[in-house]
Every structure is written in structure tokens, then in C-alpha cells.
Amino acid sequence: MRFPRQATAPSIGARAGRLLLNWLVFGLCYPLSHVIAARLPAQHSVALPFDAAVPFWPWMIVPYATSTVFFVLVFMLAPGAEQLRVTSRRMMLATVTAALIFAIYPARFTLARPALDDPLLAAAYGFLDIVDQPYNQLPSLHVAYCLLFWLALRAQLAGWRRILVAGWLVLVAASTLLTWQHHAADVAAGLLLGAAVAWLVQPGETRRWTVAFYYMIAAGVTLHVGWFVLGSWIALYAVACLLLVALAYARRDTRFLGKRDGRHSIMAWLLYWPYLAGYWLTWLLVRVRERGRDAFVQHSPGLFVGRRLSALEARRLPADCCVIDLSPELPEAAALRGMRYHHAPLLDLHAPRPSQIRPILALVAAQRQQGRAVFIHCAMGYSRSRFIARLHARNYQRWLSRSTN
């Protein structure tokens, strides 16, 4: 699938943010896989008879090391936001998937590397042994990355540059064998991983998968660090919770938390307590950070927007105010549940469907026509509530212009 044409290139901040996120995921997962394998009494071997005949070419450490350069270039050279997004997701998914395979099936390179007379090469291999121990074998993440690097860069290259980059990436992939870092099976598995990731993460995906994807990545990292490294049963609980949230976002299920009359059930807390506790903590931190600001503001005459209110803050709302709660993640303040309370949940960080927006706008319009003040709030008061308020104001202005013509 081709990438859509983009009018503007991503900002340096967007590129650096994606690069940093991928480095953080890699830094959390890859080195810890060494820790997992090193503490086991035995590791698997995937060596084939062919591997004993592979020569050792010390100078191949040079192309091997340039994988780090390409890791940076694919983010810095992405011509559009869609290319940057796809590249970032592919790299992240490859990293987490490989790390989980390393943890489940730890393998070790079986050949002993010859001693080196050249001091520079000896120093280079010494450093390599520190940062890349002989464990994370199947699949070769180096090879998977090479395929993803090529898919990210090929459309921007032509002529001799295209041939040069393709040849160099082949050299990088071959260097995993010729530096005696990987066996042939590792290389084949790396190619398979890269192809699978490229097939799963395609350009032009609908935005419904955006948040679900990151929750799945968070689940993979939690499983790797929390369970395989730390051996924590609570981590498994958190992984199950994150996967359930990812499923809810993939299905666009705004009522997956089962919030009724402004409160969550015991079952919701049993299933989603890490998720719900995370929102509670974030809400408390937002209150502390914005303690000098109003918890809600008047967006237009009779229409107020803001975050989830405390009991004290709720007393400042106009009498007989209609409350529209867009947040499925936080329980409503008890003082507001006794008012004209309506729960119209919208998923956070997710574009709602028109079918979800229309009833909310109709409710706002009906309450305003009755002369009643309306308070719309989400969890933190940043996006969902303001989005609905802007849409209502736009519709009101259209109605006003039609009525005066």
C-alpha cells in the first residue's frame, strides 16, 4: 500500500518524540532479555550444520554497527506524518515481539569467536560483547530492522542511491552471520518478523487502532519487564487489564467499564483497577498542577466545560444545572449525581463517531432551549468536553445566522 501524499513534513519535535519512544521501548526490552537468559541454567541452540562453515570476517562489524545510524535516519528522514507513524509502530512492534520471544525461548550463540590481533577491531568486539551479549538470538532483531529500514527509505531513493542503500542494508543483515553474532535460523526468523510486522502495520490504517495499538505495546512491555524479569503476579493482572482496554478501544466500546449512575461496579474495579487507578492518579496530579486555575470555565452563555469536579468544586455550578459526564474512566462526584445527571461516555484520546456525538449535541441544545445551564466535563477537561462545546457553539452560530436571514 502506498503512503498518501503529505503537504507538510513532520516537525523535529514529532520526529524526536517518535525516536525517543522507540529508544525507550528498546532500552527497556532488549537489555533485560539478556538478564533473563543469563540467569537461566541452560539456553537453547538453533545452530544448523551450515553454521559451522560460515567464515568469521572481523571487519564486518563496521556495517553491523551502522544499524544504529539507520535507526535514527528512518525517523529523521520520514517525508510525512503517515510514514513517520507507520515506521514508528513497525519498529516498536518488532522490538516488543522479539523481546517476548527472547524471554520465552532464550537462545545462545554456540561458536567461540577467534582472538583478534588488530587492537581496534578487538576493542570494537569487546564493546559489542558488553552491549550485545550472545543471547538474544532468534529472531535477529538486526535483520528485522534492516527490512523495516528499507521499507521506510525506499520511496525516497532513486538511481544509484537506491542501489547503494539496498546493498548496504543487505551487508548489515549479512554481518549478523559474518561477525558470528547470529546463526542462519536467526536471520530467517528476523526476515519473517520484519515481514509480519510490515504486513500488520499498514499505511492508511483507521485511527480506531491508534490507542489500542499503544495499549497492546504497553501490555507487551509490562509482560516482559513485570513478569519475565521481576516475576510479579501483579504484572500479569496489569497485562490482562491493558489487553482488555486495547480490545475495548479496537471495538470502540465506550461503555466497557460499565459505569452506571456515575459509579463503577465492583466487577469493573476487579477487572480494570490498574486502568482506573491510573486515571485517578492522573486526575489528582492535574488538580495539583492546576490548583491556581478554575476547574471549569464558561465556554459560552449558559455552557460550562471542565474536568471531573471534586465535591467542593461542584458547589460552584449554577443551581439546577444539567451535568453531562463524558468520562467513562472516573466516577462522578456525589454532589453531581443528585442533579440532572447524564452519562454520555466517549473514549479518551479517540475520535468519536458522529452517531455518538449527535445525541450529546441534541441533549445540550434541548437543555439550553429550556433555559437551563449545562456543564460538560470529561476526565481532565482538555479534549472531549471542549470538543463537544465547540461543536455546539458552531451549530448554534449556524442556527443564529439562518434565523436572522
Side-chain angles (χ1 to χ4, degrees):
M1 183 180 291
R2 292 182 177 275
F3 289 97
R5 291 187 177 182
Q6 309 269 330
T8 58
S11 66
I12 292 297
R15 298 176 189 276
R18 297 276 188 177
L19 174 61
L20 178 60
L21 180 60
N22 273 269
W23 269 120
L24 288 175
V25 171
F26 180 87
L28 270 175
C29 294
Y30 193 82
L32 290 178
S33 299
H34 292 308
V35 175
I36 297 169
R39 69 189 184 190
L40 294 176
Q43 295 84 29
H44 303 283
S45 172
V46 293
L48 302 172
F50 162 82
D51 290 299
V54 174
F56 174 62
W57 293 351
W59 63 269
M60 286 294 284
I61 196 172
V62 175
Y64 185 90
T66 59
S67 178
T68 304
V69 177
F70 280 98
F71 198 109
V72 176
L73 286 178
V74 291
F75 293 98
M76 294 299 106
L77 298 181
E82 180 70 359
Q83 291 94 324
L84 182 63
R85 181 188 68 84
V86 169
T87 298
S88 176
R89 290 192 189 181
R90 285 174 173 175
M91 299 279 289
M92 206 179 307
L93 183 57
T95 301
V96 174
T97 303
L100 291 175
I101 296 173
F102 297 152
I104 296 169
Y105 190 81
R108 183 181 183 120
F109 191 79
T110 55
L111 300 177
R113 190 183 297 132
L116 295 172
D117 297 328
D118 189 309
L120 290 178
L121 288 175
Y125 276 93
F127 178 75
L128 178 61
D129 290 338
I130 294 173
V131 299
D132 197 3
Q133 300 172 32
Y135 297 116
N136 296 349
Q137 293 294 299
L138 182 81
S140 168
L141 200 49
H142 244 69
V143 173
Y145 282 165
C146 282
L147 180 57
L148 298 180
F149 295 156
W150 173 244
L151 294 176
L153 296 172
R154 62 177 179 175
Q156 307 168 54
L157 303 170
W160 65 269
R161 292 183 180 86
R162 188 182 180 97
I163 297 173
L164 178 62
V165 170
W168 190 262
L169 287 174
V170 170
L171 201 61
V172 174
S175 71
T176 61
L177 290 173
L178 299 172
T179 55
W180 283 17
Q181 282 293 111
H182 284 280
H183 294 301
D186 308 331
V187 173
L191 285 172
L192 182 61
L193 173 62
V197 165
W199 178 75
L200 288 170
V201 182
Q202 292 283 337
E205 290 175 336
T206 58
R207 296 297 181 183
R208 62 180 293 187
W209 296 105
T210 299
V211 181
F213 173 84
Y214 285 108
Y215 273 111
M216 287 189 289
I217 290 296
V221 173
T222 303
L223 179 63
H224 187 265
V225 178
W227 171 246
F228 286 110
V229 178
L230 302 178
S232 170
W233 287 96
I234 296 178
L236 291 182
Y237 204 146
V239 168
C241 171
L242 290 168
L243 289 176
L244 286 173
V245 175
L247 178 62
Y249 269 90
R251 296 172 56 195
R252 295 184 177 180
D253 184 1
T254 61
R255 298 187 179 272
F256 74 101
L257 292 170
K259 182 175 170 181
R260 297 178 183 274
D261 300 322
R263 290 173 287 192
H264 296 112
S265 66
I266 295 177
M267 182 58 68
W269 274 101
L270 288 175
L271 287 176
Y272 296 102
W273 73 261
Y275 179 73
L276 296 174
Y279 265 89
W280 260 113
L281 178 60
T282 305
W283 179 74
L284 291 172
L285 292 175
V286 168
R287 286 191 64 201
V288 171
R289 188 182 68 178
E290 299 186 353
R291 56 187 176 273
R293 301 180 183 178
D294 292 329
F296 61 90
V297 297
Q298 186 169 343
H299 187 273
S300 58
L303 180 61
F304 301 86
V305 297
R307 65 172 183 263
R308 189 261 188 196
L309 303 181
S310 66
L312 182 62
E313 293 165 340
R315 296 175 187 172
R316 296 169 46 206
L317 287 172
D320 197 32
C321 180
C322 172
V323 177
I324 302 178
D325 177 8
L326 305 178
S327 167
E329 309 91 4
L330 293 174
E332 186 58 279
L336 297 184
R337 294 199 299 267
M339 301 179 70
R340 299 178 183 274
Y341 174 76
H342 300 270
H343 182 43
L346 297 177
L347 293 174
D348 197 9
L349 306 172
H350 197 281
R353 294 172 175 172
S355 60
Q356 296 169 328
I357 298 173
R358 292 190 193 102
I360 302 174
L361 293 177
L363 176 60
V364 175
Q367 295 295 320
R368 292 299 301 126
Q369 287 173 6
Q370 296 176 26
R372 189 173 292 117
V374 176
F375 171 52
I376 305 175
H377 78 85
C378 49
M380 312 305 161
Y382 294 142
S383 57
R384 289 169 285 184
S385 58
R386 295 180 184 274
F387 173 69
I388 294 297
R390 286 195 299 269
L391 287 181
H392 170 73
R394 189 182 306 165
N395 290 341
Y396 176 76
Q397 291 296 330
R398 289 175 181 171
W399 174 84
L400 189 63
S401 63
R402 287 197 300 266
S403 62
T404 55
N405 289 337

